Amino acid sequence: MISPAFASILAGGRAQFNARAAEARRRFPSLDMAAFGAFLRDGVDPLVVAVSAAAPERAGGATLAAYDTALALVGHGLAGPAAKNPFLNTVWRELAPQFAPLLATAPVDVLGMLSNAAIHIAAVAGARPAQWQRELAALAAQIATVAQLRAVGQVLAWRAGVAHFRQGALAAADTLPPALALAAFGEPGAQWPQVRAQLLDYPWRGNVDGREFGSFSGLGGDFATPPLVRATDDGFIVRSAERYFLLVTDAYGAVLHSATAQEFDQAQTGAPASVRLDGATLHIGARRIALDVPAGDIAIAANAHTLAVTSPWTHAIRLLPLA
């Protein structure tokens, strides 16, 4: 069942909504109208109810925009009960209604931004979509414009593990009121220029332990053979079997992109003088770290901020802050 508010809008514009559905069936021959109906109940109805309560005079326009967007998403197999990843359904059902005032004034922009973000974050291995949703919902009352929503969403996507968003997220944060930028980083009461400078200068700010990344592809992981790693300014070039990757990592997460053999050949091995390997014990300045792999054939590579440790005995890469 759908809400009385949604039922009333659908009934009042029946001919218009039916025409849009018919056009969508021509554009998307495989469009499952039963799945679309389920998404109307599960994903569209909650936001129609929210907009009807916040700005009833704009509910009809927002509903029409949501209906059109929903047709396209279900037509592409991205939403509805048969969607490959249910996160987009969750975002429409639970997160979008939190932005009812913005949906009332700019429904196409808001739903497009939230949908694109949900699809992207859900597709990034190792990202934390639920964290992104939770933190964005917590800031909804402080977000006054679509531009702010886009910027905060990008910052929170970075903080939820989309590591390659780092530079773009910092640039986006600069467009926000300082109090909102600090709230997005969970540091209310601090000074944005100082926080920004620290985030820019030190990718591992707030994470002293580093992280472990990668596993055997036969078990659903990334690497067919134990990886070899070389450093670049932007991250690490990884070779596994005959495949090459760019690994981007920081305090919030690690993400793999495609790379080439040439990039691997041009990248660097070795580490600074402050790093020393003694058997299976790693020394980084005054820190002493016992590695959980056999001594011998352990390889290290470092850029300005991060040390990568690999071994022929594991498919995982150990990533450690240098500072």
Side-chain angles (χ1 to χ4, degrees):
M1 295 290 293
I2 61 173
S3 66
F6 193 17
S8 176
I9 293 171
L10 289 176
R14 185 180 305 278
Q16 188 176 25
F17 287 112
N18 286 343
R20 280 170 151 74
E23 173 59 26
R25 285 196 296 270
R26 286 191 290 271
R27 291 170 54 206
F28 308 107
S30 62
L31 175 62
D32 183 340
M33 293 308 294
F36 176 64
F39 188 60
L40 289 181
R41 294 188 297 273
D42 180 62
V44 178
D45 188 40
L47 63 87
V48 172
V49 171
V51 174
S52 296
E57 73 283 2
R58 294 182 178 272
T63 301
L64 191 61
Y67 190 92
D68 286 344
T69 305
L71 280 168
L73 291 173
V74 176
H76 285 293
L78 297 170
K84 292 181 180 179
N85 192 307
F87 183 58
L88 179 60
N89 297 340
T90 302
V91 165
W92 274 59
R93 181 178 64 249
E94 299 177 6
L95 182 60
Q98 303 296 316
F99 295 95
L102 287 181
L103 282 169
T105 58
V108 173
D109 291 338
V110 172
L111 290 174
M113 194 287 293
L114 291 176
S115 298
N116 287 334
I119 292 166
H120 183 84
I121 293 171
V124 175
R128 301 177 292 279
Q131 174 187 321
W132 177 81
Q133 177 188 337
R134 181 178 65 253
E135 294 183 350
L136 188 54
L139 295 175
Q142 301 180 51
I143 296 173
T145 68
V146 173
Q148 289 180 1
L149 175 59
R150 184 176 293 107
V152 172
Q154 188 169 2
V155 169
L156 296 182
W158 173 35
R159 284 169 46 83
V162 187
H164 58 286
F165 273 17
R166 178 171 175 264
Q167 294 293 338
L170 285 171
D174 279 336
T175 70
L176 296 169
L180 182 54
L182 290 166
F185 283 100
E187 300 193 33
Q191 297 296 314
W192 172 241
Q194 286 83 354
V195 171
R196 183 193 185 280
Q198 292 168 11
L199 288 165
L200 185 63
D201 291 342
Y202 187 49
W204 290 97
R205 181 179 184 270
N207 181 336
V208 298
D209 298 321
R211 68 180 66 257
E212 191 172 274
F213 178 87
S215 58
F216 177 45
S217 59
L219 298 175
D222 307 286
F223 304 129
T225 60
L228 303 174
V229 172
R230 295 182 178 179
T232 70
D233 291 341
D234 297 327
F236 297 91
I237 306 298
V238 183
R239 176 182 176 180
S240 176
E242 296 305 315
R243 298 188 66 189
Y244 297 87
F245 308 90
L246 168 64
L247 173 61
V248 180
T249 186
D250 64 13
Y252 298 128
V255 178
L256 276 184
H257 302 280
S258 297
T260 66
Q262 182 179 11
E263 289 174 302
F264 182 79
D265 292 339
Q266 293 173 346
Q268 303 297 314
T269 59
S274 60
V275 175
R276 179 170 58 88
L277 186 62
D278 181 12
T281 300
L282 185 66
H283 300 266
I284 304 176
R287 285 182 293 164
R288 181 178 179 276
I289 302 167
L291 303 175
D292 55 354
V293 292
D297 296 323
I298 296 173
I300 55 178
N303 56 27
H305 304 289
T306 309
L307 179 72
V309 183
T310 57
S311 164
W313 298 97
T314 177
H315 289 79
I317 303 170
R318 182 81 178 268
L319 300 159
L320 297 165
L322 278 177

